[in-house]
Amino acid sequence: LYTITNMPVKRFADFLHRRDELAGYMDLLVRNFNPETVGGLMCLETVSVGWDGGVYDCDFNQQLGMGIGGNKGGRNVHSVENLDDLLKIPIRTDNHCFGCTAGMGSS
């Protein structure tokens, strides 16, 4: 059985916010941070590509418009000659990343 954490982004974050549950949900994810999950995160091995050619560390960053190399003018499929070039750019993180590192991990 595989389960995936509901990531606190976009519609789900709005839903939690409307119910005044976003802070509690984020607290749950943070309290359940598991450092052993970090080595298996999808952002370490996967690149997401948007319809416009923009490249992202993961599909959640894509949903949030957090492109590799910056939101505006970030990297795209035309500016990347080799995927190894992306290894030099730090992975963009934010609070939603706790969703992939809580419990047994989700990515």
Side-chain angles (χ1 to χ4, degrees), residues 8 10 14 17 20 25 27-28 35 38 40-41 59 65 85-86 98 102:
K10 297 291 186 172
D14 292 341
H17 179 73
D20 198 28
Y25 189 76
D27 182 59
L28 177 70
V38 174
L41 294 175
D59 49 347
D85 295 341
L86 299 179
F98 283 104

Side-chain angles (χ1 to χ4, degrees), residues 31-87:
R31 282 186 289 112
N32 285 281
F33 171 75
N34 179 357
E36 293 181 20
T37 63
V38 174
L41 294 175
M42 73 172 133
C43 58
L44 299 176
E45 301 286 333
T46 304
V47 174
S48 293
V49 179
W51 65 269
D52 59 354
V55 290
Y56 304 84
D57 299 310
C58 72
D59 49 347
F60 303 112
N61 284 358
Q62 182 178 351
Q63 291 175 18
L64 295 169
M66 296 173 58
I68 294 176
N71 292 348
K72 300 292 182 197
R75 297 296 188 110
N76 62 54
V77 294
H78 305 290
S79 66
V80 177
E81 292 194 26
N82 186 319
L83 289 178
D84 289 336
D85 295 341
L86 299 179
L87 296 174

